[in-house]
Amino acid sequence: MESHHRQSSGRSMQTKSAPITPHKPPPSSAWTGPVAVPAPVKPLYPGPPPFIVIDGPNVAMRHGKKKQFSSRGIEIAINYWKAKGHEVICFVPDYYVDFKKVGELKRAKAANMDVAASKIPDNVTLINNLADEGLIVLTPPQDYDDSYSIQFAKEKNGYIVSNDRYSDHIAKAGDREAQFELKGWIRSHCISYTFAGDTFLPNPDFNFLLPPPPTPTPPQGQESVVDVINGTTSAADNAEVPVPTFADSDIHNDGAASEPGYEEADLNLGVDDLNLEDIEHLSDIDNLELEGS
């Protein structure tokens, strides 16, 4: 019994001396295997973003739901394109920043006179502030502001943000060929849009055109095709190439020209220098000529 008690106590002591350690989860910083990294998004337009010209009155009236000239709509559109890295400019007639002129139009509108809502901005101060920042360009009141927008966009190889199709501008472009050319340019460089509240939404199906590839520069001393056509080659390219003469050549005193890989020829051979085989060969040629005559 005593030995059995010792064995039992020994087993109990052994059990107490080896407690079970609870499993600890690995730290969050432990390496758990390779992690898939998403590939970088490739920009849709290679190179710097193109220039954006905003049709101010068109955008303002769209944001005002065609009932009022919303100056805030212009600011929203400008901020949208600026956030995407584009250079932005907007054209509006300069009477939009004339408090006195706008006040007169508002009073005429209140008196039920026929005044278009597109002529009365709701926030002249905001238009002035955007103009002070260089984001709005004011055009003379007697001029057609759309002409400035189109011309500037063409010069900058940029795009116009507008829902206007500019049919009146196309009609006065000139002959049919000029009208067709301008119409094609406007169709491919005019970005339509809408507003969802204060969120600006450009046409999701619009695609920017790829910029033309740069003209390769010809190696020094060579002419490009454009230079040849335009006659704009440099003086170095037009310089005459000197023609080598005997004085410039490597001519030896004995009259033999030296060429690499060839032995010098003796040009002063006489009859005495011919050997017997040469003489017999010449005789055979003479005999053939006599037979053929």
Side-chain angles (χ1 to χ4, degrees):
M1 290 289 294
E2 184 177 356
S3 62
H4 179 72
H5 177 71
R6 285 197 299 269
Q7 292 176 359
S8 300
S9 61
R11 285 195 298 270
S12 62
M13 290 177 63
Q14 183 177 4
T15 303
K16 292 180 180 180
S17 61
I20 299 175
T21 304
H23 176 71
K24 294 182 179 181
S28 58
S29 60
W31 185 80
T32 58
V35 178
V37 178
V41 178
K42 185 178 180 181
L44 298 178
Y45 190 89
F51 204 99
I52 296 296
V53 177
I54 293 178
D55 184 347
N58 186 274
V59 170
M61 291 302 296
R62 182 75 182 192
H63 185 253
K65 299 179 180 179
K66 300 183 179 180
K67 296 179 180 179
Q68 66 176 4
F69 185 103
S70 172
S71 305
R72 172 69 177 148
I74 294 178
E75 184 183 41
I76 292 172
I78 288 175
N79 291 338
Y80 173 88
W81 293 107
K82 283 181 62 180
K84 292 185 173 295
H86 296 261
E87 288 188 74
V88 188
I89 205 168
C90 174
F91 288 90
V92 298
D94 61 3
Y95 59 78
Y96 282 67
V97 298
D98 188 338
F99 285 94
K100 182 179 179 180
K101 179 67 175 178
V102 173
E104 292 175 354
L105 293 174
K106 285 183 177 180
R107 288 190 292 270
K109 183 74 172 177
N112 294 324
M113 296 182 66
D114 187 15
V115 179
S118 60
K119 304 293 185 182
I120 308 174
D122 63 351
N123 192 336
V124 178
T125 301
L126 179 56
I127 299 295
N128 270 290
N129 293 338
L130 293 173
D132 291 340
E133 295 177 21
L135 298 172
I136 283 183
V137 175
L138 304 174
T139 63
Q142 72 274 10
D143 291 350
Y144 188 49
D145 58 294
D146 288 342
S147 298
Y148 287 92
S149 298
I150 294 171
Q151 181 63 28
F152 194 75
K154 292 178 73 174
E155 291 179 357
K156 290 289 186 178
N157 195 25
Y159 294 80
I160 303 175
V161 176
S162 179
N163 288 332
D164 192 351
R165 308 309 286 173
Y166 299 110
S167 299
D168 51 347
H169 189 85
I170 294 173
K172 62 179 184 179
D175 56 18
R176 291 178 60 86
E177 184 178 354
Q179 292 179 9
F180 182 80
E181 181 180 355
L182 180 59
K183 182 177 180 179
W185 186 92
I186 289 175
R187 295 297 180 267
S188 60
H189 289 78
C190 194
I191 307 172
S192 57
Y193 67 93
T194 191
F195 283 96
D198 285 340
T199 301
F200 178 80
L201 299 172
N203 181 1
D205 295 326
F206 182 84
N207 294 316
F208 290 106
L209 300 176
L210 296 178
T215 304
T217 303
Q220 187 176 3
Q222 295 186 13
E223 304 171 349
S224 67
V225 176
V226 176
D227 290 335
V228 174
I229 295 174
N230 297 333
T232 56
T233 54
S234 63
D237 294 332
N238 291 329
E240 295 183 358
V241 179
V243 178
T245 62
F246 284 105
D248 298 324
S249 303
D250 187 11
I251 303 296
H252 295 273
N253 293 331
D254 57 0
S258 175
E259 296 184 16
Y262 295 90
E263 295 182 357
E264 296 181 1
D266 189 357
L267 303 181
N268 297 321
L269 293 176
V271 179
D272 296 338
D273 296 319
L274 298 177
N275 55 31
L276 182 60
E277 294 181 357
D278 295 330
I279 295 173
E280 293 177 352
H281 180 66
L282 293 174
S283 301
D284 295 337
I285 293 175
D286 292 339
N287 292 334
L288 289 174
E289 292 179 350
L290 291 174
E291 293 176 0
S293 59

